[in-house]
Amino acid sequence: MSLTITPARGLRGEVSVPGDKSISHRVVMLGSLAEGETVATNFLPSEDCLATVRCFRALGVEIDGPDRGTVRIRGRGLYGLSEPQDVLDAGNSGTTMRLLLGILAGQPFFSVLTGDGSLRRRPMGRVTAPLAEMGATVMGRDGAKYAPLAVSGGRLRGISYRLPVASAQVKSALLLAGLYADGPTRITEPVPTRDHTERMLAAFGAAFERKNGTVSIVPAPRLRGGEIAVPGDLSSAAFLIVAALITPESDLLLRGVGVNPTRTGLLDVLARMGARITVRETRTAGGEPVADIRVRSSTLRGTVVDGSLIPRLIDEIPVLAVAAVFADGETVIQDAAELRVKESDRLATVRQELAALGADIREQPDGLVIRGTGRLTGGRCRSYGDHRIAMAVAVGGLAASGKTVIDDPACINVSFPGFTDTLNSVRLE
Ligand code: S3P
């Protein structure tokens, strides 16, 4: 299977993007551990989130849906999960595997977690090492650094832990394990990362606090479920935002997009590059700020992206590199070595595939240097089974002079089911 993208004059009209992936995972997890029913609307029915739903069903949780965006989770309480009969499969999803490891570490039963070829190559030692410090027994390949991983959990010790890498997944795994500890768990982040777990834990009644760069959680007696309206995913909106900026006749309105400040680095960088984007905050949903975003075709200039900005736009770097091709001057992205351990080695795959489309792009050990040439030719590209690579290349193809063919595009369903239909609903031929 392949996806063919032909050049477009622009994107015009209004769209809603699918629900936020990070928040959809967390609502299933916390809803399962809560008491009472949790109902999530605008839940993201993508492959990654469905993997989380399947894992929690295997742990004995009754979950209805997703049905037209609604999921109903009948919470089992913190101590109500049951031992799974079979291996839990997280598919392609790092969030499922890492956060679930934190929860399983606190359960008095045995479980085994695995994933697809990409996930089995991704580093898990960053989670299993601190969980072992908390008292869990985790075994796996190369000293529990890679899945499959076997977990034998139980009562845990609260620890103080400084994260060696800025990772919301690791922070979240330890916060979830902290629910089962005998005292407070304190996690210090080198740089702030997305705080969806903290916001949802607060909404569900857990006691924690943030002081400077440290989040502390005290073991909760119980969590309480409720209703959560999942905001649209800014990481999905990012593809449409960049597509509108780099095609000449665009005026696009994206409705209901989550704009949690730990996620909006792309909007800050694009503003600095000269993008005509207006953000009108409209409401809060599920404890998260939500906005309508208007994007018009823009003349962009190159910039430097580094330091504490990186975790705030980590998943948007592939599509930011596409914007940089259409900017005047050079764009330098650095301090982004984490991209090498995502669904693919994104520094290598972005460089290879944008070069295949005609970009002037160089790879550095921790980043990319893109010389803005204002043009792409189109060509034949691979996705490497990485959803964000497939969509970034598709966005480049919209602004290219010729046709772009992307091999193996099914991975797009990992985060953005309906991506091509959404694009086609607003594209000007
Ligand atoms: C996520 C955190 C980030 C991000 C991923 C989703 C999350 O990963 O890249 O797509 O939901 O917590 P890291 O924590 O590994 O940086």
Side-chain angles (χ1 to χ4, degrees):
M1 241 266 290
S2 67
L3 172 65
T4 300
I5 301 284
T6 52
R9 282 190 289 127
L11 304 188
R12 260 178 198 266
E14 281 187 31
V15 278
S16 305
V17 291
D20 188 276
K21 181 156 79 69
S22 291
I23 298 173
S24 295
H25 282 300
R26 285 157 171 82
V27 86
V28 174
M29 296 184 181
L30 292 184
S32 295
L33 300 180
E35 292 174 10
E37 191 175 72
T38 292
V39 180
T41 52
N42 199 35
F43 179 85
L44 175 68
S46 77
E47 288 303 328
D48 264 21
C49 300
L50 294 177
T52 295
V53 168
R54 281 192 291 269
C55 287
F56 278 84
R57 281 193 181 127
L59 290 161
V61 185
E62 263 182 69
I63 302 174
D64 295 339
D67 180 14
R68 278 163 287 152
T70 300
V71 173
R72 283 172 195 280
I73 306 140
R74 275 183 269 289
R76 307 271 315 169
L78 281 167
Y79 298 93
L81 298 181
S82 43
E83 186 170 79
Q85 304 286 302
D86 203 345
V87 173
L88 300 168
D89 187 354
N92 189 242
S93 174
T95 307
T96 308
M97 183 169 283
R98 294 199 177 109
L99 272 59
L100 195 46
L101 280 168
I103 293 171
L104 294 174
Q107 308 306 316
F109 54 67
F110 174 77
S111 45
V112 182
L113 256 173
T114 192
D116 70 6
S118 154
L119 190 55
R120 280 183 275 114
R121 285 190 293 275
R122 295 181 65 187
M124 294 298 145
R126 53 180 65 188
V127 185
T128 57
L131 289 178
E133 231 179 274
M134 292 178 82
T137 305
V138 189
M139 295 179 62
R141 290 189 296 127
D142 195 8
K145 288 197 186 76
Y146 299 99
L149 293 159
V151 187
S152 196
R155 196 136 173 86
L156 302 175
R157 282 186 292 279
I159 58 169
S160 293
Y161 192 72
R162 174 175 284 277
L163 295 181
V165 283
S167 164
Q169 292 177 354
V170 180
K171 172 179 65 175
S172 301
L174 301 183
L175 285 172
L176 293 168
L179 292 169
Y180 297 94
D182 60 1
T185 298
R186 296 189 187 85
I187 304 147
T188 305
E189 304 188 85
V191 174
T193 62
R194 64 190 69 193
D195 63 357
H196 305 302
T197 307
E198 294 93 307
R199 285 174 188 251
M200 205 180 288
L201 277 169
F204 281 30
F208 74 93
E209 64 175 44
R210 169 176 279 280
K211 236 191 246 148
N212 303 321
T214 301
V215 201
S216 316
I217 186 154
V218 284
R222 67 180 58 80
L223 300 176
R224 279 225 183 279
E227 293 205 356
I228 297 238
V230 179
D233 197 328
L234 182 57
S235 297
S236 297
F239 298 102
L240 300 166
I241 291 172
V242 171
L245 289 173
I246 63 175
T247 48
E249 295 174 41
S250 298
D251 189 347
L252 184 67
L253 185 67
L254 295 151
R255 287 211 186 272
V257 185
V259 286
N260 178 318
T262 61
R263 296 282 298 279
T264 49
L266 178 76
L267 299 178
D268 296 348
V269 170
L270 290 174
R272 208 205 281 156
M273 292 173 81
R276 294 194 297 163
I277 298 179
T278 48
V279 179
R280 196 164 52 88
E281 237 172 85
T282 54
R283 59 195 164 98
T284 47
E288 300 270 348
V290 175
D292 293 339
I293 301 178
R294 182 180 177 199
V295 189
R296 284 171 289 171
S297 316
S298 301
T299 306
L300 302 175
R301 47 183 179 272
T303 190
V304 177
V305 185
D306 60 3
S308 59
L309 249 175
I310 297 295
R312 295 180 56 232
L313 47 62
I314 188 76
D315 293 339
E316 287 67 75
I317 290 175
V319 79
L320 178 60
V322 176
V325 171
F326 291 90
D328 289 332
E330 203 170 68
T331 296
V332 179
I333 299 167
Q334 52 199 23
D335 303 325
E338 267 298 289
L339 288 180
R340 295 208 182 273
V341 291
K342 294 294 179 187
E343 287 83 328
S344 66
D345 173 349
R346 286 185 179 159
L347 295 178
T349 51
V350 168
R351 201 262 307 148
Q352 270 168 54
E353 298 315 301
L354 292 190
L357 290 183
D360 182 340
I361 179 167
R362 279 183 290 128
E363 191 180 329
Q364 310 278 57
D366 69 340
L368 295 165
V369 179
I370 303 122
R371 196 169 66 83
T373 52
R375 62 184 300 272
L376 289 174
T377 52
R380 184 142 203 143
C381 290
R382 297 201 286 161
S383 71
Y384 302 87
D386 182 337
H387 52 132
R388 300 201 202 279
I389 298 300
M391 289 186 278
V393 166
V395 168
L398 290 173
S401 51
K403 190 172 77 171
T404 298
V405 179
I406 306 160
D407 286 332
D408 187 17
C411 54
I412 289 173
N413 288 330
V414 157
S415 66
F416 198 157
F419 170 71
T420 36
D421 289 345
T422 303
L423 210 53
N424 289 337
S425 72
V426 287
R427 66 176 278 154
L428 297 173
E429 293 306 328

